[in-house]
Amino acid sequence: MPIHDPSYRRYTGSRNEPGSSWLIIAETEIRGVLRKKLFLFVLLASWGQFFVRAVMFYLSSNFSSLDTPALGILSPSVQTFRQFFELQEVFVLFVTVYVGSGMIANDRRSNALQIYLSKPVTRAEYVAGKLGALLFFLLLVTLVPALGLLVLQVMFSGSLTFIGENLFLVPAITLYAFVEALLSAFAMLALSSLSTSARYTAMIYAGMVLFSGVLFEVLRDVSNGALELVWLSFRANLDQLADVIFLLPPRYESPWMVSVLAVGTLIGVSVAVLKWRVRGVEVVT
Amino acid sequence: MSTPLTSNVPVVPSFFRSAVRVYELSLGRMLWSRRTLFMALVVGGPVAVALVLRLLAALDLLSLTGGVDFVDSANQRVTIDGPGIFGLMVWGFYLRFSVPLLGVFYGTSLIADEIEDKTITYLFTRPLSRCAVLAGKYFAYLVSTGLVLLPSVMLVFFLVVSLLGGSIGAAFPSLVTDLALLAVGLAVYGALFMLIGTWFRRPLLTGLVFILGWEPIVAVVPGYLKRFTVSYYLEGLAPHAMPQDRAVTGILGVMQVSEVVPSVAASLIGLGLILVGGLSLSAWVVERREYVIEQ
Amino acid sequence: MNAAVVAVERVSKWYGQVIGLNDISAEVHPGVTGLLGPNGAGKSTLLKLIAGQLKPSKGSVRVFDESVWGNPGLFFRVGFCPEQDSFYDQMTGLEWVTALVRLNGFSESEATEAARLAMDSVDLLDAADKKIGAYSKGMRQRVKLAQAVVHGPDLLVLDEPLAGMDPVARRQVIKLIKGWGSSGKSVLVSSHILHEIESMTSTILLMNHGRILAEGDIAAIRGLIDEHPHKIRIRLSDPRAFARGFLDHVGLRSLCLEEGALVIETENPDAFYSRLTEVAASGALGDVQEVSSPDDNLQAVFEYLVK
């Protein structure tokens, strides 16, 4: 009769290389979010514009012989892609609020942060995992449909003329999508690390984005444009940068470098907050 | 150790008395909660802007005489003056931003906060109806938001209206109307979002989708859909020539649809229906709902 | 027997497709009743149903002969101490208990007095003016008990009141619960720790997998478990001789020799004890020093029933 040793045995299998833990964190987050029905509904709604524009592209490509003025509106242009991002802004907000608000706050609330950091996971990997998951969803509602539209335009028209004339659109779409997603994700994660309540984090983030926009607009309107403080507004900075990236005339008179600086500062502050707040043990003095 | 006191007369307190007790309990928590920071931002922002304008005007650094380029709901160009700036601020800061957002943030939290904090059990195991709990919390929301928001509006009024020779006396009736309008807005949005808070598991996102998604989108859809928004009826009560949202005006222009503003009577009826509907449906939901609190 | 304070009749409770309680019937009478079962047995679900926080999917829950769901008037007579460790942390203990008892219709002064008495009853008067956020776990448990007893209810429903307490606080609270029970109140208290319940009461409701396994007196329950042999440990001078003498005992299942002791498993404990008395009195099989039954405690009952 064979005798088995039932005592404890160390794990002798293979281990992932250090530095890849963030992928596991990101994957866990993504799987968790995708299980939520309400989010899937938001995701579906966020692709609404993609489908509408796809139909528009199809009509403009296949019914060009009709020569009606409406076809001019349907035809793709650089402006179309810029507007696409503008209309997706609200979904960027929804996704950021839904996915990001509880990312660190919930871990802090349930003391899971301590557990994460007691494993061979560095603080940077933890943040990278969370950031990766949030970026994944943000790019899913901006970069992916925008590039998809570009591909569809080629497919429907059966010609490379438009993309050949506007080759810069590929890097422009990619760059702007990343700028928007990185700013939103870093700001939200920083706020999430400051609280233990996902709902409160969501409120503060939405309030900050909306209030900064309203403040900017009211100041500009009541001063007849004299007080056009673009740097004040989360959205105005992104709008200004989007115009520059898409090689369109900037909508505000403020130098676009001011917006670069504002966005960079906000990301920098967020990184500093994350560095300060993402700790296994909080020492209260 | 001693024995706890026993209540002598176990008579169920009236609905009103119960609601008042819950109101007393909730008011302080609402005013001194984590949201105070947000409240300070909402309320302090417009006052700070008014102070800046006042300062700039006093130092003669800002010329406001050129007129601001906006059109009112009847597509008429409006010349700006002190009361005009005030109207713009009431529209931009309070009616379009603070009121719906306060409604979303506080309204959806009335019950959701107690659930998230796992304290709702303490309220629902007392001899008072759940409707009374809801009513007390709703009153506390109205008082706390109103007490903070309305004085802020008054401050802005006194700081801004006298700019460019505007007359406080002449503009005062519009202040009263504005305050009433904002109070109505808080009440209606609060009732609506309280319903969302009692009904949905993620009420905040649902509320944000309503004010940032539904309301702006249906505002540009021809037909009756816009009647299922609060902002449509609030606009009907606005005393000022309100500027249009650029996006809305632009899209309506393309679609060659002129915007319809409801009459005051229609607005009051619409808002009344939303208010009563929101409150009664919230009460219906909360009386029937089981709140499973996990450890 | 007194009229039932709580009557649960054929109650089932589903959470979506998960079953929390499965067709259970039980009664609670005046005095302390322990609700015992492992984690996930359905104890908290049952207590929430009795406290009117959940509505039965099937069956009825009656407290003082009234339906409890949607009947807030009952809460004059019911005090509930929930499991969750949640409070209005910014308030002091006294403020919190006062605010809650005001919801029972007490005036400001009555409420303050009642809250003070309740805080005193759980030995927390010294910390009454401290913020709850600064309380230790034991103090938080006790302030929860204070809000449950502050209005002098006839029925107390306590969900895991000893969880997280240190031994001293645990002893205090056990004493309190026993005191409330002996003063004529009905106390229904849950725990998954057997000796806790055993130290409070001998009347239990035993639950597992959403069902009531047994209810009544611990000893009586033990007696009902016929299919399980009764284990008896006898410490004596000559275990081998004693074992030889009992080999012909009817119902003997096993004999186990230990150093200076003999452990017997029998299916007929009454007959065994009669014979043991005779043998011990005669001294024929040596000197019997101690007889104990490891099966008489709640642990054994519980292990048998949940096996």
Side-chain angles (χ1 to χ4, degrees):
Chain A
M1 183 190 280
I3 307 296
H4 294 274
D5 175 12
S7 62
Y8 177 75
R9 272 172 283 180
R10 292 184 71 84
Y11 175 71
T12 53
S14 61
R15 287 190 173 87
N16 287 336
E17 288 298 310
S20 62
S21 316
W22 71 273
L23 272 172
I24 299 164
I25 295 174
E27 190 187 322
T28 311
E29 288 286 343
I30 290 169
R31 281 178 194 277
V33 172
L34 286 176
R35 274 197 292 268
K36 293 173 181 167
K37 285 179 196 156
L38 179 60
F39 180 73
L40 293 180
F41 175 74
V42 172
L43 207 57
L44 189 70
S46 73
W47 275 68
Q49 194 194 169
F50 170 84
F51 293 116
V52 172
R53 295 227 183 240
V55 172
M56 289 164 72
F57 287 4
Y58 178 80
L59 292 176
S60 73
S61 303
N62 292 282
F63 295 90
S64 52
S65 58
L66 293 178
D67 195 27
T68 63
L71 282 178
I73 301 170
L74 302 178
S75 304
S77 65
V78 173
Q79 195 70 40
T80 309
F81 286 89
R82 169 68 193 95
Q83 277 171 357
F84 176 82
F85 276 98
E86 206 162 349
L87 291 176
Q88 287 299 91
E89 279 172 7
V90 70
F91 290 106
V92 169
L93 178 71
F94 292 158
V95 169
T96 311
V97 163
Y98 192 97
V99 179
S101 59
M103 269 188 164
I104 298 179
N106 286 344
D107 283 351
R108 281 169 47 80
R109 188 185 185 90
S110 58
N111 287 326
L113 192 55
Q114 284 183 22
I115 295 171
Y116 269 120
L117 299 180
S118 68
K119 310 282 173 206
V121 176
T122 63
R123 291 192 292 155
E125 281 179 295
Y126 171 82
V127 173
K130 301 284 180 184
L131 190 71
L134 190 46
L135 285 178
F136 171 82
F137 287 112
L138 287 172
L139 296 177
L140 201 60
V141 299
T142 51
L143 179 69
V144 177
L147 289 178
L149 275 179
L150 210 51
V151 173
L152 276 185
Q153 196 282 327
V154 175
M155 307 283 253
F156 288 152
S157 64
S159 139
L160 292 170
T161 314
F162 175 77
I163 199 160
E165 285 171 359
N166 302 288
L167 205 54
F168 76 95
L169 268 179
V170 178
I173 287 170
T174 311
L175 177 63
Y176 180 66
F178 269 95
V179 168
E180 187 178 34
L182 279 171
L183 178 65
S184 307
F186 269 114
M188 176 50 100
L189 285 184
L191 283 176
S192 186
S193 73
L194 288 169
S195 174
T196 53
S197 164
R199 285 190 324 107
Y200 179 64
T201 306
M203 278 180 200
I204 290 292
Y205 179 82
M208 185 186 83
V209 171
L210 299 175
F211 181 74
S212 66
V214 168
L215 189 63
F216 162 71
E217 281 181 26
V218 170
L219 275 174
R220 188 190 54 189
D221 286 352
V222 299
S223 66
N224 202 16
L227 288 174
E228 196 178 63
L229 308 175
V230 175
W231 55 270
L232 261 182
S233 163
F234 195 91
R235 290 264 32 118
N237 280 311
L238 284 175
D239 286 339
Q240 182 81 331
L241 286 181
D243 290 343
V244 173
I245 290 170
F246 280 87
L247 305 181
L248 295 167
R251 63 189 62 190
Y252 307 118
E253 286 176 16
S254 162
W256 62 270
M257 279 308 290
V258 171
S259 294
V260 173
L261 205 64
V263 168
T265 306
L266 196 50
I267 291 178
V269 169
S270 302
V271 171
V273 169
L274 285 166
K275 205 173 167 189
W276 166 50
R277 295 291 292 177
V278 177
R279 286 170 193 276
V281 179
E282 201 174 328
V283 180
V284 182
T285 51
Chain B
M1 293 191 200
S2 48
T3 313
L5 194 74
T6 307
S7 175
N8 296 324
V9 195
V11 178
V12 180
S14 67
F15 177 84
F16 182 73
R17 250 185 97 187
S18 302
V20 168
R21 294 282 165 91
V22 176
Y23 158 81
E24 288 168 355
L25 176 64
S26 306
L27 186 64
R29 295 192 72 219
M30 220 168 261
L31 278 175
W32 303 113
S33 70
R34 291 175 294 196
R35 274 174 216 90
T36 311
L37 176 70
F38 174 74
M39 183 83 102
L41 191 77
V42 167
V43 168
V47 177
V49 169
L51 280 170
V52 168
L53 289 176
R54 185 92 212 172
L55 188 70
L56 291 175
L59 297 173
D60 212 18
L61 291 174
L62 184 65
S63 169
L64 294 162
T65 53
V68 175
D69 185 22
F70 76 82
V71 286
D72 70 3
S73 49
N75 281 332
Q76 300 293 312
R77 192 168 178 283
V78 175
T79 310
I80 198 94
D81 55 2
I85 295 172
F86 175 65
L88 198 63
M89 289 181 75
V90 166
W91 173 255
F93 272 124
Y94 296 106
L95 214 50
R96 203 167 61 108
F97 171 72
S98 304
V99 168
L101 227 58
L102 284 175
V104 171
F105 289 176
Y106 282 80
T108 57
S109 305
L110 293 178
I111 292 292
D113 257 6
E114 298 278 357
I115 295 169
E116 186 178 295
D117 295 343
K118 298 175 183 170
T119 48
I120 193 130
T121 314
Y122 299 116
L123 298 179
F124 285 173
T125 50
R126 298 285 149 192
L128 49 140
S129 70
R130 291 181 175 197
C131 285
V133 173
L134 204 64
K137 286 189 159 286
Y138 180 70
F139 288 140
Y141 151 77
L142 278 184
V143 172
S144 59
T145 52
L147 272 181
V148 181
L149 192 73
L150 302 184
S152 159
V153 178
M154 291 170 73
L155 262 175
V156 171
F157 174 84
F158 288 114
L159 284 168
V160 164
V161 164
S162 58
L163 284 174
L164 303 172
S167 159
I168 289 179
F172 195 76
S174 80
L175 169 69
V176 176
T177 321
D178 280 331
L179 293 177
L181 175 65
L182 294 173
V184 168
L186 284 174
V188 177
Y189 272 116
L192 184 67
F193 292 125
M194 185 168 75
L195 172 62
I196 289 174
T198 54
W199 207 324
F200 291 94
R201 287 197 65 181
R202 300 293 297 245
L204 184 62
L205 184 72
T206 315
L208 286 176
V209 168
F210 183 85
I211 59 165
L212 300 176
W214 176 255
E215 288 206 323
I217 287 170
V218 301
V220 297
V221 176
Y224 289 118
L225 268 183
K226 58 174 74 72
R227 294 175 191 218
F228 295 98
T229 65
V230 178
S231 57
Y232 171 73
Y233 299 108
L234 282 179
E235 203 176 326
L237 295 180
H240 302 280
M242 293 298 184
Q244 291 298 300
D245 287 326
R246 283 174 176 75
V248 173
T249 314
I251 295 170
L252 287 174
V254 169
M255 297 170 84
Q256 295 184 324
V257 176
S258 60
E259 201 190 358
V260 181
V261 178
S263 67
V264 171
S267 295
L268 286 174
I269 291 169
L271 291 170
L273 283 174
I274 298 171
L275 179 74
V276 173
L279 291 177
S280 43
L281 274 174
S282 303
W284 186 81
V285 171
V286 86
E287 281 288 351
R288 277 154 191 80
R289 186 133 191 198
E290 297 168 290
Y291 293 96
V292 181
I293 311 286
E294 297 298 339
Q295 172 61 3
Chain C
M1 187 170 265
N2 296 317
V5 174
V6 178
V8 178
E9 273 181 44
R10 306 212 59 184
V11 165
S12 295
K13 179 69 195 169
W14 293 282
Y15 298 107
Q17 294 191 344
V18 177
I19 192 154
L21 291 181
N22 188 357
D23 194 24
I24 67 162
S25 297
E27 288 190 344
V28 174
H29 295 271
V32 180
T33 304
L35 183 59
L36 183 68
N39 289 328
K43 301 186 300 291
S44 287
T45 300
L46 179 59
L47 293 187
K48 282 174 190 159
L49 283 161
I50 292 169
Q53 300 307 292
L54 295 176
K55 188 182 177 185
S57 309
K58 212 178 132 215
S60 74
V61 179
R62 297 184 75 77
V63 174
F64 298 116
D65 209 24
E66 288 181 52
S67 173
V68 66
W69 173 254
N71 185 0
L74 260 183
F75 291 110
F76 280 116
R77 301 185 67 189
V78 178
F80 182 52
C81 173
E83 182 186 14
Q84 65 265 15
D85 183 45
S86 314
F87 305 88
Y88 298 162
D89 280 338
Q90 300 87 350
M91 285 181 159
T92 68
L94 186 66
E95 283 169 354
W96 186 60
V97 178
T98 306
L100 289 180
V101 77
R102 287 213 73 204
L103 301 179
N104 282 60
F106 284 47
S107 69
E108 184 77 51
S109 56
E110 276 178 337
T112 310
E113 191 193 342
R116 279 195 176 282
L117 286 170
M119 294 293 275
D120 190 24
S121 76
V122 296
D123 203 17
L124 212 54
L125 201 52
D126 290 344
D129 295 322
K130 272 191 189 168
K131 291 215 165 142
I132 299 177
Y135 279 8
S136 68
K137 175 78 182 175
M139 291 160 90
R140 288 161 81 88
Q141 287 289 67
R142 278 185 283 153
V143 78
K144 260 197 314 192
L145 286 171
Q147 67 77 33
V149 298
V150 64
H151 53 293
D154 298 318
L155 169 66
L156 275 168
V157 181
L158 314 176
D159 197 353
E160 303 270 3
L162 303 177
M165 283 187 171
D166 62 52
V168 177
R170 202 175 284 246
R171 204 165 53 236
Q172 278 179 334
V173 171
I174 289 171
K175 195 175 155 198
L176 267 174
I177 291 171
K178 285 168 91 170
W180 290 328
S182 56
S183 71
K185 290 183 194 306
S186 305
V187 185
L188 180 58
V189 54
S190 77
S191 175
H192 60 278
I193 299 172
L194 307 170
H195 70 86
E196 279 181 3
I197 292 286
E198 207 169 14
S199 59
M200 282 184 247
T201 179
S202 61
T203 308
I204 61 161
L205 283 168
L206 195 59
M207 291 189 75
N208 196 34
H209 297 311
R211 284 180 177 276
I212 300 270
L213 292 180
E215 70 176 298
D217 186 76
I218 294 172
I221 290 169
R222 180 64 191 83
L224 290 172
I225 310 165
D226 295 333
E227 69 269 33
H228 291 286
H230 199 91
K231 203 179 270 185
I232 299 162
R233 188 172 189 276
I234 309 151
R235 208 154 62 80
L236 70 178
S237 55
D238 189 356
R240 281 184 183 279
F242 201 90
R244 273 195 302 275
F246 270 82
L247 278 174
D248 62 341
H249 166 63
V250 179
L252 182 73
R253 288 275 299 264
S254 71
L255 276 168
C256 180
L257 283 167
E258 292 178 1
E259 197 176 328
L262 178 69
V263 179
I264 286 175
E265 269 191 308
T266 174
E267 287 171 357
N268 194 349
D270 290 344
F272 178 83
Y273 279 120
S274 308
R275 185 152 173 217
L276 178 66
T277 312
E278 288 167 19
V279 170
S282 69
L285 297 176
D287 183 24
V288 177
Q289 294 156 355
E290 186 186 324
V291 177
S292 62
S293 172
D295 287 353
D296 272 349
N297 65 28
L298 201 44
Q299 179 77 38
V301 174
F302 186 74
E303 279 174 4
Y304 284 157
L305 289 172
V306 301
K307 233 180 239 173

